[in-house]
Amino acid sequence: CLDVRDERVTYSNNTITYSSIGEQAGTPIRFELDLELFDDVDPKGCTHYSSSVGRMTIQCGKAKEKSAWPRLLKNNKTHTGTVGTWWEMKSKYEDRMKKLEEKMEESESEEKALDRKMEESKKKRKLRKKKLKNQLKFDIEAKQSCWDSSRHIAKSCKRVSPDQPAYWWSSY
């Protein structure tokens, strides 16, 4: 149909929905199209415009930058009859896309390695903190045990070994 009204296009994370009403031979016809895309897009960055002979162009930016989709639609069995592969462009950019995918895989591997290192660092920090806390508790207990409660006089104490419990403290 060349003349359509009540045209609505909505975009969500991975879906484009189109509906309108047109006339063919004086009979109103409702058009609906619901496309589930291969991956997420940025709905705020999507645009559309109509051109001659009832053609509409929809452009959406991918949510994940620098990613290649093997196809437009999530289900490769869904066929609208008007969606196809632009083979010339695919072959033109195929080498660039392979290099980009390799770089992305390397980047993801590096990111995972950094995440593992950060997790190990957090565990080490937590263990150090626990050890310091226990040592502080030990020092406090040891100082309290050096106090002569009957005379209310603090004795001079020294630690025999930092790894030994409080009762291993001795006075001068």
Side-chain angles (χ1 to χ4, degrees):
C1 286
L2 298 177
D3 227 1
V4 292
R5 63 182 190 274
D6 297 331
E7 188 175 61
R8 291 192 182 116
V9 182
T10 56
Y11 309 101
S12 68
N13 288 340
N14 68 338
T15 307
I16 298 174
T17 306
Y18 170 83
S19 66
S20 67
I21 297 174
E23 258 187 54
Q24 191 169 2
T27 306
I29 299 172
R30 180 162 186 80
F31 294 101
E32 291 182 350
L33 179 63
D34 190 21
L35 299 174
E36 187 177 10
L37 302 174
F38 181 79
D39 205 351
D40 290 347
V41 295
D42 176 16
K44 293 177 184 172
C46 293
T47 60
H48 65 278
Y49 60 91
S50 298
S51 57
S52 64
V53 198
R55 171 178 251 160
M56 174 178 274
T57 301
I58 298 174
Q59 292 180 319
C60 291
K62 297 176 184 174
K64 297 175 190 170
E65 288 186 26
K66 298 181 180 178
S67 63
W69 295 358
R71 58 186 177 278
L72 178 65
L73 303 178
K74 188 168 201 144
N75 183 351
N76 62 355
K77 294 179 182 172
T78 303
H79 189 276
T80 63
T82 57
V83 176
T85 302
W86 191 356
W87 295 106
E88 294 84 15
M89 294 303 273
K90 184 174 180 171
S91 63
K92 180 179 177 180
Y93 292 107
E94 194 166 19
D95 290 339
R96 284 187 188 177
M97 293 308 292
K98 283 182 184 177
K99 287 178 186 176
L100 178 64
E101 287 174 11
E102 289 170 3
K103 284 182 181 179
M104 286 178 62
E105 287 173 8
E106 286 175 19
S107 176
E108 287 175 6
S109 298
E110 290 172 3
E111 191 175 317
K112 286 178 184 177
L114 283 173
D115 287 344
R116 281 193 300 272
K117 285 182 181 179
M118 284 181 64
E119 197 62 38
E120 289 171 10
S121 177
K122 283 181 185 178
K123 287 178 183 178
K124 286 179 183 177
R125 216 175 315 130
K126 196 173 185 180
L127 285 172
R128 275 196 308 263
K129 187 177 179 181
K130 187 176 180 180
K131 189 175 181 180
L132 286 171
K133 192 175 181 181
N134 287 338
Q135 189 173 358
L136 180 63
K137 183 179 175 186
F138 170 73
D139 287 346
I140 291 170
E141 288 173 358
K143 285 180 183 179
Q144 287 174 348
S145 70
C146 289
W147 184 261
D148 186 352
S149 60
S150 62
R151 293 189 199 150
H152 301 289
I153 300 171
K155 294 180 181 178
S156 296
C157 297
K158 68 175 184 176
R159 181 184 251 174
V160 176
S161 169
D163 297 327
Q164 293 174 335
Y167 56 84
W168 282 97
W169 286 59
S170 62
S171 60
Y172 286 108

